[in-house]
Amino acid sequence: MSSATPEMIVKKEAHIGWMTFNNPLRMNAVTLDMWKAIPEIVADFEADPDIRVMVLTGAGDRAFVAGADISQFEENRSSADAVNSYDEISGRAFAAIAETKLPTIAMIHGYCIGGGLGIALSCDIRIAADHSTFAIPAARLGLAYPLEGTHRLVEIVGPSFAKEIFYTARQFSADEALQMGLINRSVEAKNLEQTTHAMCAQIAENAPLTVTAEKRIIDELVKEPGNFDRAKCEALAAECFSSEDYAEGRAAFMQKRKPQFKGR
């Protein structure tokens, strides 16, 4: 990965690709180099047939990601051209996470703020420690939140809660986030990794083609009216039915054994 940076830790274990934001002195705020590295990390995981699920998390115990690194804004976002360039780079990072064929989980502890919440929203599933806090403080900074991030927030929590999050710019607790559907699970901090590992194991033992197909189909179903691609969804379903994994799943069911899926 040519954009590798020590601020991003990459690890592969037991069918899981771990992407860790490693800027703990700034509560894992994302630097420009980190934004640049994300698409290449995702591509590396996608190219590895042994990786079945991707987990994003933050280093240390204080934060998942506390937004973009504002200390770099004077240098990287001080003019219209600089803002456009920065937004293009960060936009590619968000898209890489959101559009990967792999199922993605945000493992959240501590602060999940601004662009950090945008990263979590780009994931399929969000599991949070019960002490975590969530906010989008755009209204306190005078900036506009990215359109795609706003769209994902509305998809997940609905327009009314999205407006409350933006209008108030306040920090929401894990309990509040769970109630509004912003996160899937809230667990004790001591159980966060165990819970995440358990879900990863459940996902990894299932048929990868089915998981990918359903991810793509669900993404199509929640698109704006008129943009739904039925042909694409039907092709994804047909690919599953013609796969070796489907034959293996049927055989394993009849033989009362655990299937061994290969992703083909």
Side-chain angles (χ1 to χ4, degrees):
M1 294 177 290
S2 60
S3 294
T5 167
E7 293 171 325
M8 298 296 289
I9 299 174
V10 179
K11 182 174 66 172
K12 300 178 182 180
E13 64 172 9
H15 298 301
I16 307 170
W18 292 86
M19 182 192 305
T20 302
F21 294 84
N22 183 38
N23 188 11
L25 292 180
R26 293 189 177 276
M27 293 192 291
N28 300 321
V30 186
T31 65
L32 189 61
D33 284 344
M34 293 165 78
W35 288 124
K36 290 178 179 178
I38 290 170
E40 295 194 21
I41 295 170
V42 173
D44 179 60
F45 287 153
E46 286 186 324
D48 188 335
D50 195 47
I51 299 299
R52 301 282 181 89
V53 60
M54 183 167 64
V55 176
L56 285 69
T57 192
D61 56 9
R62 296 181 62 201
F64 172 69
V65 175
D69 192 337
I70 297 176
S71 70
Q72 293 190 332
F73 279 16
E74 186 63 31
E75 178 182 356
N76 297 320
R77 300 189 72 177
S78 58
S79 69
D81 287 344
V83 168
N84 289 337
S85 176
Y86 184 97
D87 288 349
E88 183 179 340
I89 291 168
S90 61
R92 285 198 294 267
F94 285 124
I97 298 167
E99 297 171 9
T100 178
K101 67 179 181 180
L102 294 168
T104 51
I105 298 175
M107 187 177 80
I108 301 164
H109 53 84
Y111 293 105
C112 183
I113 308 293
L117 182 52
I119 290 168
L121 292 168
S122 298
C123 294
D124 300 319
I125 296 167
R126 287 156 294 282
I127 304 174
D130 55 10
H131 69 278
S132 300
T133 55
F134 305 82
I136 298 178
R140 294 185 182 276
L141 297 170
L143 54 82
Y145 203 68
L147 178 60
E148 288 301 323
T150 301
H151 185 236
R152 291 185 189 108
L153 180 65
V154 173
E155 281 182 348
I156 290 167
V157 303
S160 184
F161 278 129
K163 288 174 181 178
E164 182 180 353
I165 290 169
F166 278 114
Y167 293 177
T168 65
R170 74 175 179 87
Q171 293 186 6
F172 292 81
S173 68
D175 283 345
E176 290 175 308
L178 185 64
Q179 289 171 9
M180 68 176 71
L182 187 61
I183 58 177
N184 297 70
R185 299 280 186 275
S186 174
V187 301
E188 291 185 52
K190 65 181 181 180
N191 297 326
L192 180 61
E193 287 196 34
Q194 180 183 356
T195 301
T196 303
H197 272 283
M199 185 176 289
C200 287
Q202 288 179 317
I203 294 170
E205 70 180 15
N206 291 326
L209 288 177
T210 299
V211 173
T212 297
E214 291 306 322
K215 173 172 180 166
R216 299 295 193 215
I217 291 169
I218 292 168
D219 287 346
E220 284 294 321
L221 288 170
V222 298
K223 281 185 175 179
E224 295 178 5
N227 291 334
F228 173 64
D229 189 339
R230 178 176 293 275
K232 176 181 178 180
C233 294
E234 290 175 346
L236 287 163
E239 184 181 6
C240 290
F241 281 116
S242 64
S243 69
E244 293 178 22
D245 277 354
Y246 178 49
E248 165 63 9
R250 297 196 314 271
F253 179 80
M254 296 302 295
Q255 296 165 14
K256 294 182 172 54
R257 61 174 174 81
K258 193 172 185 178
Q260 300 295 318
F261 294 120
K262 304 295 185 184
R264 56 178 185 264

